[in-house]
């Protein structure tokens, strides 16, 4: 019954440590926005340049964000953004790639 006596200091799965992390928050937002942009634009064949470049940049920022993240909340959001970015990037590459159609 020791569990009943201890207060829940973690606050749940997405608890933060109570400190501001401006770099990590910026990387999280950039990864989520570019990942969503890449994922959505990958559904349109003629937007392969936007989806592949947005996906590539989101993968890079998400990887750096994972390296510097300090809380579960940051890591969770980064994984969502990285997943969307990877799908968008690979579909963009399949539709024409990073430079497809520019040098024809």
């Amino acid at each position: 019954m020791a569990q009943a006596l201890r207060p829940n200091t973690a606050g749940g799965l997405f608890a933060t440590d109570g400190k501001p992390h401006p770099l990590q928050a910026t990387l999280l937002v950039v990864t989520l926005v570019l990942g969503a942009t890449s994922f959505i634009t990958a559904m349109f064949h003629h937007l392969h340049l936007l989806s592949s470049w947005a996906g590539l940049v989101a993968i890079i920022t998400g990887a750096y964000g994972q390296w510097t993240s300090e809380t579960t909340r940051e890591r969770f959001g980064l994984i969502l953004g990285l997943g969307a970015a990877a799908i968008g990037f690979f579909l963009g590459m399949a539709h024409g790639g990073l430079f497809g159609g520019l040098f024809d």
Side-chain angles (χ1 to χ4, degrees):
M1 288 298 290
Q3 306 90 320
L5 300 177
R6 270 188 269 149
N8 185 6
T9 57
L13 178 63
F14 301 117
T16 175
D17 59 358
K19 301 174 190 171
H21 302 116
L23 173 66
Q24 290 82 3
T26 303
L27 291 170
L28 172 62
V29 169
V30 168
T31 302
L32 284 173
V33 169
L34 288 177
T37 301
S38 176
F39 182 78
I40 291 168
T41 58
M43 305 305 166
F44 304 99
H45 182 77
H46 60 283
L47 294 176
H48 64 87
L49 290 173
L50 179 60
S51 65
S52 58
W53 279 106
L56 181 62
V57 172
I59 289 169
I60 292 169
T61 58
Y64 185 69
Q66 282 288 352
W67 186 48
T68 61
S69 66
E70 297 182 17
T71 64
T72 304
R73 179 180 295 169
E74 294 164 357
R75 293 183 191 112
F76 180 79
L78 285 167
I79 289 297
L80 289 178
L82 278 167
I87 292 170
F89 174 71
F90 289 130
L91 286 174
M93 292 300 287
H95 291 158
L98 297 169
F99 301 107
L102 289 181
F103 303 111
D104 288 340

